[in-house]
Amino acid sequence: MIKKAETNILKVVEQKVMDSFVHLHNHPEISWEETETTKYIKEILVNSGCKVIEFDDCTGIVGEYGNFNNNLPIVGIRADMDALWQEVNGVFQPNHSCGHDAHMAVVLGVLWRLKETPELAKRVAIKFIFQPAEEKGSGALKMVEKNIIENVDYLYGIHLRPVQETKPGRATPVIIHGATKMYNVEIIGDDAHGARPHLNHNSIEIAAQIVNMISQIHLDPRIPHSVKMTKLHAGGKNTNIIPGNALFSLDLRAQNNELMDKLEIKVNDIFQSMRNLYDLDIKITNIDGIVAAVTNDEAINIMRKSIIETLGEEKLDIPLVTPGGDDFHFYTVKKPDLKATMLGLGCNLKPGLHHPKMKFEEKYLIDGVNILFKALLNTYKV
């Protein structure tokens, strides 16, 4: 039975979480430009008694709370910070349609819960990791480069889940994301007069052939995978010019890292066949990517127990396999002995992640706070 004093604490923390969410939601910043967000988080970390780690060459911030001098296991709790650059009501702008504003507010809520239980300060060693540029797939790698997880033993994350995956009031102890690769590519040729199509190769037609060829890639049907063109630009203002140049982007998905390697080989084989057929250059200008999840049973079991103790066993979902991606999994790939998992929180999120008008029920954020707080207690067995 929850005591009256604990109920009052939860109400105070919940209000702080809601206030923080509203502020962060109304002040979105895109990847690597989370300057004001970093300042906002820093002020809260300092006022909460954290030792702060800042970076002189990038956004993001880390707060250390507890006892780092007693050989305690160190637990990291990570929140991503960046918003998407997205068209909303006809205007391109930063937009928190992936829930990172909520993730930050929840992780701050865990800190506030710890502050309301001061006797825990000597029994825990927590790193609150506010990571930039998740949407670019490069923020976690930057934190690895900065040695932020070098001494971390356990790492917990959180992500709001669409209602199609996790129903409101429910939670899953692990999100098994797939691998993602994002290609930017140039077709490099020469323009020609619209009346003389024999004098060049139409880059739009070449791009269309690439679309058709990638749709015919067939790999193991038991493992989810896809590849599709997500951007194409060719030609200018004049309609009587056959464009020789084009820019396009591809989005590749595979549920595990091994299948992603095979998918990349197929895509690059298609590029090479186009080069040979048309005797022109197809140049890959940039590749960003996110690895598939590498799971840890101990961390998952801690999160499973924490969900049951917070919401009840009837609200526990099985592990969630999803084709989406998250750079959180670079932490476990780069540090294989790290015990990590990501909590999936049901909150009636509709119509979906990255939809410009994504909405969810904010009352469920306190569930995320309480589950992660319980995960800390269960990790330290207090």
Side-chain angles (χ1 to χ4, degrees), residues 201-267:
H201 298 295
N202 188 332
S203 61
I204 296 174
E205 294 175 353
I206 294 170
Q209 281 187 267
I210 292 172
V211 170
N212 288 331
M213 293 178 76
I214 62 176
S215 70
Q216 296 173 41
I217 294 175
H218 299 295
L219 299 175
D220 190 339
R222 297 169 299 174
I223 304 173
H225 61 277
S226 69
V227 55
K228 76 290 296 182
M229 190 174 290
T230 55
K231 182 176 72 174
L232 173 62
H233 177 77
K237 293 183 178 180
N238 293 93
T239 57
N240 62 345
I241 295 176
I242 303 170
N245 298 309
L247 305 173
F248 67 89
S249 298
L250 296 183
D251 177 280
L252 289 71
R253 306 272 167 166
Q255 198 58 53
N256 62 43
N257 295 316
E258 294 73 23
L259 198 70
M260 175 58 77
D261 291 341
K262 295 178 181 179
L263 190 58
E264 284 197 274
I265 289 171
K266 292 288 188 181
V267 167

Side-chain angles (χ1 to χ4, degrees), residues 11 17 84 101 109-110 142 153 171 195 200 204 238 243 345:
K11 287 182 178 179
V17 169
L84 291 158
D101 45 359
V110 177
K142 191 67 172 180
D153 300 291
N200 83 332
I204 296 174
N238 293 93
L345 187 68

